[in-house]
């Protein structure tokens, strides 16, 4: 692609950018790795780089901008066009999947797609997998076989994480290991059926795009010569396939600028490969590394804490975030007595921040796993603070929570027809007709004894087993935790057959025990859950958007708030106990804590309950997360919540 004449400069780059950003924007040809620390103006740098290349006479048609969403590329191109006061419609910008789709449409005949191909959406993919499952005779097996949605997730993980079927099952779907040979059959049949009918799924776009470039040198050369300047956003989130596509596209040149932050690589569960950003200088010898360390989001005390969290990371590009902003108070560390005291402390602190003038929309509570907020959701509901939750299951919207509680609800109120209906339909062999026969008997004087009389006379055996469970739940002298454990033992095999992601849901159910541990009797517990369902507390359509944000850290990346609370900052919770076995997973947990801390602009509070409840161990002592406990005490303002 020939170079155009430079255009008259419109932008004062040195005035608009800090020195590190200026270095990145004006970097000469060749490979460049921009390590963009949290809040350091990564997008601004990419936008100005686009504008700079065009001002220098680079033909817009020779620029390829790869991002993770179409919205991101559209916004960057729009901002660059605004800076230049000229359209940039000839720059190709989009996601890896969209550009691969474009090239496969153009060159697909080289791969045998001479008559074109169809890209399946998730619904189409599920329909095909369902058809194959039926054709192979896997629908009527005596033990649960993955549903079509789970099959799609398993096969996608194999592609994006570059793992064998056996490894994917062992790591994330161990309940289906007994079906490994059948799943291998399914995988093969799925690939053959797609090929037979010229079908591609979402992951195939990357797989076939890479194959096109690998196996057809003329196409690889043509595309590489066409796109003489490659720019990649969020490079730390790329998977192996995406990194290979970048390398192949640089076949005739080395003009690759990738921007990302190794310290914010937290999506390995989606296939993101941390090694991509760490190995970039090896794959592109002579790469220049530029670090953006000036932060425009947070106060220095917040940044000092974040720097301290990431400093012990085993493998990293060393950087030290700083800001020119003056002032700011030290982050708080609060040791609460129990989980409920943690929740009450958060509520009290949120109200205090509101009195200081910080709106609810400027406050967020972050956590490692969705179930960590369950007790807080109940407390917020009790005091009437509106909230929305992102990531994980919302407590009272979760089907498995409703399932389990239905057993307790009918004991507390034998005339609760809705809960009876839910409990009965979980019993294998019981349909809506049988459930309706039962609930139609419920009158004003209906008691558990009436229910027992009916259930014990019915078939299947599961109804008699249900009667036995309810009798044990109603027996005097049992604590609420003991009752919940009985219900959980009964529900466990039922849930395993109902939900492919049961291991994840089991964590929610077991955490429910930590909440019930503080209640003495059943009715007060159920009343607290139903005073006002948490899902209805926040109305996100209201114009002022005044609600508290609850979010997993994964869902919070890229966002920021004036005040952030990180709850359950305890060993076994954050970091997760499941990361103990693999060093690379523990390293990602550290990066996750770093991401959480860097979401805060001015107020950061880290909190953990000193005492917790474990289903098998009973009351346990929690210790502060290793990511915080090693920090110098001078970085934190220490608080302790007195028992309420």
């Amino acid at each position: 692609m020939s170079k155009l004449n430079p255009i008259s400069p419109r932008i004062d780059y040195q005035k608009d950018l800090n020195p590190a950003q200026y270095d990145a924007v004006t970097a000469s040809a060749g490979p460049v790795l921009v390590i963009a620390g949290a809040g350091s103006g990564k997008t601004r740098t990419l936008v100005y780089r686009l504008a700079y290349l065009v001002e220098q006479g680079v033909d817009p048609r020779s620029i390829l901008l790869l991002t993770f969403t179409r919205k991101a590329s559209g916004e960057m191109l729009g901002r660059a066009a605004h800076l230049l006061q000229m359209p940039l419609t000839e720059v190709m910008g989009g996601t890896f999947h969209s550009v691969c789709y474009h090239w496969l449409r153009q060159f697909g005949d080289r791969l045998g797609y001479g008559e074109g191909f169809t890209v399946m959406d998730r619904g189409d993919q599920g329909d095909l997998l369902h058809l194959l499952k039926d054709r192979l005779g896997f629908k009527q097996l005596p033990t649960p076989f993955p549903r079509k949605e789970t099959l799609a997730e398993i096969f996608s993980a194999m592609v994006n994480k570059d793992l064998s079927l056996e490894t994917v099952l062992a790591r994330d779907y161990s309940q289906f290991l007994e079906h490994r040979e059948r799943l291998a059959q399914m995988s093969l049949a799925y690939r053959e059926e797609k090929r037979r009918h010229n079908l591609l799924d979402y992951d195939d776009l990357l797989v076939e795009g890479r194959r096109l470039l690998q196996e057809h040198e003329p196409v690889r050369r043509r595309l590489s010569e066409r796109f003489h300047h490659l720019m990649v956003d969020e490079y730390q989130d790329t998977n192996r396939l995406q990194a290979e596509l970048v390398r192949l596209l640089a076949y005739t040149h080395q003009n690759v600028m990738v921007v990302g932050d190794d310290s914010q690589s937290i999506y390995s569960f989606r296939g993101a490969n941390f090694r991509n950003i760490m190995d970039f200088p090896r794959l592109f010898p002579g790469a220049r590394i530029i670090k953006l360390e000036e932060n425009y989001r947070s106060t220095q005390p917040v940044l000092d804490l974040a720097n301290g969290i990431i400093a012990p990371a085993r493998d990293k590009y060393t950087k030290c975030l700083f800001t020119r902003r003056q002032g700011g108070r030290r982050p708080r560390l609060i040791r609460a007595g129990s989980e409920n005291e943690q929740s009450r402390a958060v509520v009290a602190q949120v109200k205090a921040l509101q009195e200081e003038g910080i709106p609810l929309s400027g406050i967020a509570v972050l956590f490692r796993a969705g179930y960590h907020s369950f007790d807080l959701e109940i407390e917020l509901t009790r005091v009437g603070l509106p909230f929305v939750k992102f990531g994980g299951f919302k407590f009272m919207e979760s089907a498995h929570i409703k399932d389990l509680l239905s057993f307790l609800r009918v004991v507390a109120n034998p005339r609760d027809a809705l809960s009876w209906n839910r409990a009965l339909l979980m019993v294998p062999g019981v349909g809506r007709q049988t459930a309706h026969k039962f609930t139609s008997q419920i009158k004003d004087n209906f008691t558990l004894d009436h229910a027992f009389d009916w259930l014990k006379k019915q078939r299947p055996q599961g109804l008699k087993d249900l009667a036995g469970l309810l009798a044990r739940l109603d027996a005097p002298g049992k604590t609420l935790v003991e009752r919940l454990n009985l219900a959980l033992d009964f529900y466990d095999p039922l849930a395993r057959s109902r939900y492919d992601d049961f291991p994840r849901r089991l964590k929610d159910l077991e955490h429910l025990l930590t909440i019930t541990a503080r209640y003495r009797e059943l009715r007060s517990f159920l009343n607290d859950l139903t005073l006002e369902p948490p899902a209805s507390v926040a109305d996100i359509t209201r114009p002022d958007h005044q609600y508290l944000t609850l979010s997993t850290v994964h869902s919070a990346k890229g966002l920021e708030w004036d005040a952030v609370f990180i709850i359950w900052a305890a060993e076994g919770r954050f970091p997760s106990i499941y990361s103990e076995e693999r060093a690379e997973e523990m390293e990602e947990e550290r990066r996750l804590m770093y991401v959480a801390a860097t979401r805060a602009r001015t107020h950061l509070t880290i909190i953990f309950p000193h005492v917790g409840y474990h289903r098998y161990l009973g009351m346990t002592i929690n210790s502060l997360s290793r990511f915080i406990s090693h920090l110098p005490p001078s970085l934190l303002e220490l608080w302790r919540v007195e028992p309420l």
Side-chain angles (χ1 to χ4, degrees):
M1 189 66 65
S2 60
K3 188 173 173 107
L4 305 179
N5 292 324
I7 64 175
S8 300
R10 297 176 179 274
I11 305 163
D12 187 339
Y13 293 95
Q14 284 189 303
K15 177 185 175 185
D16 290 356
L17 304 167
N18 68 40
Q21 291 172 336
Y22 180 79
D23 282 350
V25 166
T26 60
S28 56
V32 181
L33 169 61
V34 180
I35 299 297
S40 64
K42 167 183 69 68
T43 302
R44 183 181 184 83
T45 302
L46 281 167
V47 167
Y48 274 76
R49 174 67 172 177
L50 280 167
Y52 178 79
L53 289 175
V54 174
E55 277 198 346
Q56 294 300 302
V58 171
D59 189 334
R61 290 172 296 175
S62 71
I63 301 173
L64 174 60
L65 172 65
L66 292 167
T67 61
F68 274 81
T69 64
R70 283 188 299 175
K71 180 182 177 184
S73 62
E75 287 179 353
M76 287 184 203
L77 290 170
R79 285 173 58 179
H82 179 74
L83 282 174
L84 292 166
Q85 295 297 296
M86 62 177 283
L88 287 180
T89 53
E90 291 181 315
V91 174
M92 187 171 189
T95 65
F96 283 90
H97 293 85
S98 67
V99 297
C100 284
Y101 172 81
H102 179 80
W103 296 333
L104 289 169
R105 282 290 180 208
Q106 191 175 356
F107 304 109
D109 58 316
R110 273 74 160 182
L111 300 178
Y113 298 111
E115 299 175 5
F117 58 86
T118 300
V119 179
M120 299 183 290
D121 61 20
R122 276 288 185 172
D124 297 330
Q125 185 184 17
D127 290 343
L128 177 56
L129 288 167
H130 185 77
L131 182 150
L132 293 172
K133 183 176 167 180
D134 192 27
R135 184 184 297 171
L136 293 169
F138 297 158
K139 287 182 71 175
Q140 308 300 327
L141 295 170
T143 55
F145 191 78
R147 291 171 173 81
K148 59 185 182 183
E149 298 83 4
T150 307
L151 288 168
E153 289 172 7
I154 291 170
F155 298 155
S156 180
M158 291 167 62
V159 172
N160 288 298
K161 298 182 182 181
D162 190 25
L163 296 173
S164 67
L165 173 62
E166 184 94 16
T167 303
V168 170
L169 294 177
R171 284 189 176 187
D172 301 315
Y173 303 92
S174 56
Q175 71 272 34
F176 298 125
L177 272 169
E178 64 178 293
H179 294 304
R180 62 175 72 85
E181 291 182 8
R182 295 185 181 94
L183 287 166
Q185 272 184 272
M186 275 288 298
S187 178
L188 178 61
Y190 179 53
R191 292 196 301 273
E192 290 176 344
E193 196 73 5
K194 285 187 295 182
R195 171 59 69 178
R196 186 177 299 120
H197 297 288
N198 273 12
L199 298 172
L200 297 179
D201 62 29
Y202 195 58
D203 298 318
D204 290 330
L205 293 172
L206 297 184
V207 173
E208 295 295 87
R210 179 189 59 175
R211 188 161 76 91
L212 176 69
L213 297 180
Q214 279 181 332
E215 297 180 2
H216 298 275
E217 195 271 347
V219 175
R220 180 166 76 247
R221 178 176 295 278
R222 179 173 168 180
L223 290 175
S224 182
E225 289 176 346
R226 158 78 192 277
F227 297 108
H228 200 66
H229 289 274
L230 307 178
M231 299 171 65
V232 186
D233 187 24
E234 301 285 14
Y235 191 69
Q236 79 281 347
D237 292 337
T238 54
N239 63 25
R240 179 185 57 84
L241 282 169
Q242 290 161 332
E244 287 182 16
L245 283 165
V246 172
R247 183 178 56 80
L248 290 164
L249 286 168
Y251 177 54
T252 62
H253 59 82
Q254 296 286 293
N255 299 326
V256 181
M257 176 177 281
V258 301
V259 182
D261 185 4
D262 55 299
S263 298
Q264 297 187 72
S265 179
I266 59 172
Y267 293 119
S268 65
F269 68 95
R270 292 182 189 165
N273 189 341
F274 175 71
R275 295 309 318 170
N276 287 349
I277 196 166
M278 300 309 299
D279 293 343
F280 184 84
R282 181 178 61 79
L283 292 173
F284 292 91
R288 185 177 174 196
I289 301 174
I290 300 172
K291 299 175 184 177
L292 307 184
E293 298 173 286
E294 182 172 352
N295 179 282
Y296 294 91
R297 175 187 300 153
S298 307
T299 58
Q300 194 60 52
V302 170
L303 297 179
D304 289 341
L305 185 80
N307 289 332
I309 289 170
I310 206 64
R314 185 183 60 183
D315 204 359
K316 66 181 183 297
Y317 291 102
T318 301
K319 57 185 174 297
C320 186
L321 298 180
F322 69 93
T323 182
R324 298 177 198 272
R325 290 178 63 185
Q326 298 297 312
R329 72 185 190 195
R330 287 182 297 166
R332 287 176 177 168
L333 173 62
I334 299 178
R335 188 182 94 161
S338 65
E339 181 176 22
N340 187 241
E341 286 174 22
Q342 171 181 256
S343 299
R344 294 191 185 200
V346 169
V347 168
Q349 294 288 310
V350 167
K351 289 181 175 179
L353 288 168
Q354 285 182 285
E355 290 175 6
E356 291 180 25
I358 297 178
L360 272 183
S361 58
I363 307 172
V365 181
L366 305 183
F367 32 85
R368 173 64 184 85
Y371 63 86
H372 289 169
S373 70
F374 283 176
D375 189 83
L376 178 60
E377 291 175 51
I378 296 171
E379 194 62 31
L380 290 169
T381 299
R382 192 179 67 81
V383 300
L385 272 176
F387 67 90
V388 288
K389 181 177 180 180
F390 301 95
F393 296 108
K394 293 180 179 66
F395 181 45
M396 284 307 293
E397 286 182 4
S398 308
H400 51 295
I401 298 291
K402 290 182 175 181
D403 287 347
L404 185 67
L405 292 180
S406 68
F407 302 128
L408 300 176
R409 289 186 190 282
V410 298
V411 170
N413 175 15
R415 288 180 288 168
D416 183 347
L418 284 176
S419 293
W420 272 116
N421 190 64
R422 190 175 197 101
L424 290 166
L425 290 176
M426 280 188 273
V427 176
V430 173
R432 297 193 179 280
Q433 190 174 354
T434 302
H436 176 70
K437 241 186 234 184
F438 176 88
T439 55
S440 62
Q441 307 174 66
I442 297 176
K443 310 292 182 195
D444 286 348
N445 61 347
F446 191 79
T447 67
L448 269 183
D449 286 336
H450 293 127
F452 294 155
D453 288 343
W454 190 89
L455 291 170
K456 288 175 182 177
K457 296 174 184 174
Q458 306 302 313
R459 294 164 65 184
Q461 176 62 35
L463 290 174
K464 299 179 179 64
D465 296 338
L466 175 62
L469 167 68
L470 299 178
R472 292 193 296 277
L473 293 179
D474 191 45
K478 285 188 172 59
T479 65
L480 181 54
V481 169
E482 288 171 336
R483 293 170 201 258
L484 199 66
N485 266 312
L486 285 171
L488 191 49
D489 288 340
F490 181 85
Y491 180 58
D492 186 293
L494 302 177
R496 287 180 189 276
S497 63
R498 287 166 71 85
Y499 304 111
D500 284 355
D501 60 347
F502 174 73
R504 178 186 174 194
R505 293 176 188 256
L506 181 61
K507 295 174 193 174
D508 291 0
L509 297 168
E510 291 185 339
H511 190 77
L512 185 58
L513 291 166
T514 72
I515 298 172
T516 58
R518 65 183 168 91
Y519 288 89
R520 291 178 181 270
E521 57 96 23
L522 179 58
R523 280 186 175 80
S524 61
F525 168 64
L526 294 175
N527 285 341
D528 271 6
L529 300 187
T530 53
L531 284 172
E532 187 176 7
S536 67
V537 174
D539 180 3
I540 60 175
T541 62
R542 52 200 266 184
D544 58 353
H545 292 294
Q546 286 306 305
Y547 53 81
L548 178 69
T549 296
L550 309 185
S551 177
T552 60
V553 183
H554 286 106
S555 296
K557 184 174 175 291
L559 304 176
E560 58 187 72
W561 293 270
D562 293 316
V564 167
F565 295 84
I566 303 173
I567 62 171
W568 270 111
E571 283 294 298
R573 301 300 182 99
F574 199 168
S576 165
I577 194 171
Y578 301 100
S579 62
E580 292 278 358
E581 295 178 8
R582 288 194 285 266
E584 65 271 19
E585 291 188 10
M586 186 58 72
E587 287 292 291
E588 183 162 325
E589 293 285 309
R590 179 181 296 282
R591 298 193 293 270
L592 202 58
M593 182 68 82
Y594 171 85
V595 168
T598 53
R599 300 310 95 198
R601 296 191 192 107
T602 55
H603 298 76
L604 176 61
T605 301
I606 297 168
I607 183 168
F608 76 106
H610 182 55
V611 176
Y613 180 84
H614 189 279
R615 183 182 182 190
Y616 302 110
L617 303 177
M619 300 308 292
T620 58
I621 301 298
N622 298 316
S623 57
L624 178 61
S625 167
R626 68 186 69 186
F627 306 139
I628 306 299
S629 61
H630 79 278
L631 297 173
S634 60
L635 295 181
L636 291 152
E637 182 182 328
L638 303 178
W639 280 42
R640 180 172 295 182
V641 177
E642 297 302 323
L644 297 168

